[in-house]
Amino acid sequence: MIANNGRLKIAIQKSGRLTDESVNLLRACGLEFEFSKQGLYSPCKNFDLDLLSLRDDDIPEYVQDGVADLGIVGENIVREKRARVETLAQLGYGSCRLMISVPQRSSIRTIQGLRGKRIATTYPVILSQFLRTNRLKADIVELSGSVEIAPTLDVADAICDLLSTGTTARMNGLRPLHTVLESEATLITNKKSLQEKRKKDLIDRLLIRVSGSLQARGKRYMMMNAPASAVPRLKTIIPSLKSPTVVPLAEEGMVALHSVIAEDVFWDVMEKLKKAGASDIIVVPIETIIQ
Ligand code: PRT
Ligand code: ZN
């Protein structure tokens, strides 16, 4: 039995698509622990927190029932399990869409065309809610996996399944029809853990670190030297740079500029900055941004 020792318990996926990024996120929060995909339980050495590794499908219920105080799991699973949990943060990875798709040759063109048809899914709860909301009557064929082959086997006329790149659907001759839910990994908790002062304090401390790591994600810190006269021009080149830090250098008329920049634009920006007079451009990773 896992002791109720006053330490926070966070449930993460034992082995799957969310595991590595969940472990990385917690490590980026400064938590030190050993994690093995075989183990159930990993105590954190420098924070009052223990990790529980579980099947993702069990995480919402364990958090709802207080077996774990926190959990990291896809919103799709939280919704499907109808768990009574509170969402603390969207974590920006594990992004996917729960989509209804039909075979390429299907005559179904809109969701209205789904009336009276068979839809295969591993998400019967979300799908039936969707059908009810849209006043559509259709047969839900509940499967436990490999949903994408259901139309080929003539078990269904359409499927409702997760998609990220869309490759699996394409390879199975399916055409996307409608997005039912957009999902990503989320950090969840329960009311009871938030009501216990000691746990609430720990959760708040952890949340500051999580949002700091999320803020820093996809961003770099950039430093460069430039003639002071080039600063107005440089400011127009760097997106999101309203007021860069500008520091005079020992060399007369020269300054250093510091700024945060988004990873996905920095090569582009860099070239323009060089042309506009910047030199000695240094770009370094950012671990966290606490606001
Ligand atoms: O063993 P356990 O039960 O813990 O894991 P699992 O096998 O049930 O889940 P896992 O590891 O596959 O997924 C965990 C979570 O990752 C899901 O609940 C989603 O929140 C999220 N996620 C993100 C995805 C995908 N992207 C995804 N593409 N989950 C599943 N898929 C599958 C999808 O079902 C389909 O079969 O990948 C295929 C489609 O991928 P594309 O890229 O070809 O479109
Ligand atoms: Zn699962």
Side-chain angles (χ1 to χ4, degrees):
M1 208 181 106
I2 308 277
N4 186 7
N5 49 12
R7 288 162 68 85
L8 275 190
K9 296 190 179 45
I10 183 164
I12 66 166
Q13 190 184 20
K14 191 185 184 87
S15 173
R17 285 169 194 264
L18 304 184
T19 306
D20 289 348
E21 294 209 63
S22 301
V23 167
N24 290 346
L25 174 67
L26 295 175
R27 293 218 162 109
C29 289
L31 307 184
E32 286 173 21
F33 54 87
E34 272 159 36
F35 181 82
S36 111
K37 288 186 176 169
Q38 277 74 48
L40 164 67
Y41 183 70
S42 323
C44 189
K45 294 173 193 149
N46 59 350
F47 200 91
D48 280 345
L49 175 133
D50 300 323
L51 276 76
L52 299 181
S53 319
L54 302 170
R55 286 284 308 272
D56 66 347
D57 314 72
D58 297 332
I59 293 176
E61 198 173 325
Y62 277 24
V63 172
Q64 168 189 291
D65 297 347
V67 177
D69 305 289
L70 298 166
I72 297 181
V73 67
E75 198 179 335
N76 50 308
I77 306 282
V78 176
R79 291 275 300 272
E80 182 62 23
K81 300 291 174 188
R82 282 189 281 214
R84 287 184 301 283
V85 294
E86 318 257 320
T87 299
L88 293 173
Q90 303 280 349
L91 302 176
Y93 59 88
S95 301
C96 54
R97 282 159 293 149
L98 184 64
M99 288 208 74
I100 297 178
S101 307
V102 294
Q104 288 292 358
R105 321 167 295 290
S106 169
S107 58
I108 303 170
R109 297 277 153 197
T110 66
I111 58 166
Q112 309 306 329
L114 294 168
R115 284 208 167 84
K117 303 289 190 203
R118 300 162 302 166
I119 312 172
T121 191
T122 54
Y123 290 87
V125 171
I126 301 177
L127 178 59
S128 67
Q129 272 168 2
F130 171 81
L131 294 173
R132 229 177 302 128
T133 309
N134 289 281
R135 296 171 190 281
L136 296 168
K137 278 214 159 56
D139 291 332
I140 297 178
V141 180
E142 188 176 339
L143 300 178
S144 55
S146 304
V147 173
E148 63 282 354
I149 59 171
T152 313
L153 300 176
D154 196 25
V155 178
D157 308 298
I159 69 161
C160 176
D161 195 16
L162 294 179
L163 240 86
S164 49
T165 59
T167 314
T168 309
R170 249 193 326 277
M171 279 176 38
N172 285 279
L174 296 164
R175 155 165 64 82
L177 185 73
H178 192 86
T179 299
V180 174
L181 175 79
E182 305 243 4
S183 175
E184 63 183 277
T186 55
L187 178 65
I188 55 172
T189 185
N190 60 62
K191 278 220 170 72
K192 192 161 161 279
S193 301
L194 291 175
Q195 281 159 357
E196 272 179 51
K197 165 103 179 62
R198 193 184 134 71
K199 285 192 168 166
K200 169 81 165 62
D201 289 349
L202 286 168
I203 292 172
D204 285 345
R205 281 177 58 204
L206 188 66
L207 263 184
I208 291 175
R209 299 184 184 199
V210 168
S211 60
S213 312
L214 295 180
Q215 285 278 343
R217 185 168 287 182
K219 297 201 179 111
R220 300 285 174 91
Y221 196 74
M222 186 163 64
M223 295 164 272
M224 73 203 84
N225 295 339
S229 58
V231 170
R233 169 107 187 81
L234 293 172
K235 277 193 195 178
T236 64
I237 295 170
I238 309 177
S240 79
L241 184 62
K242 288 186 200 81
S243 54
T245 308
V246 183
V247 195
L249 293 178
E251 190 183 334
E252 186 75 21
M254 288 294 285
V255 294
L257 276 93
H258 293 205
S259 169
V260 173
I261 183 160
E263 214 165 49
D264 51 351
V265 296
F266 93 84
W267 282 114
D268 238 24
V269 168
M270 199 82 64
E271 289 161 10
K272 290 183 187 151
L273 291 173
K274 247 186 122 18
K275 274 194 193 132
S279 60
D280 305 314
I281 305 172
I282 297 174
V283 179
V284 292
I286 302 176
E287 275 194 14
T288 190
I289 301 177
I290 309 292
Q291 286 178 327

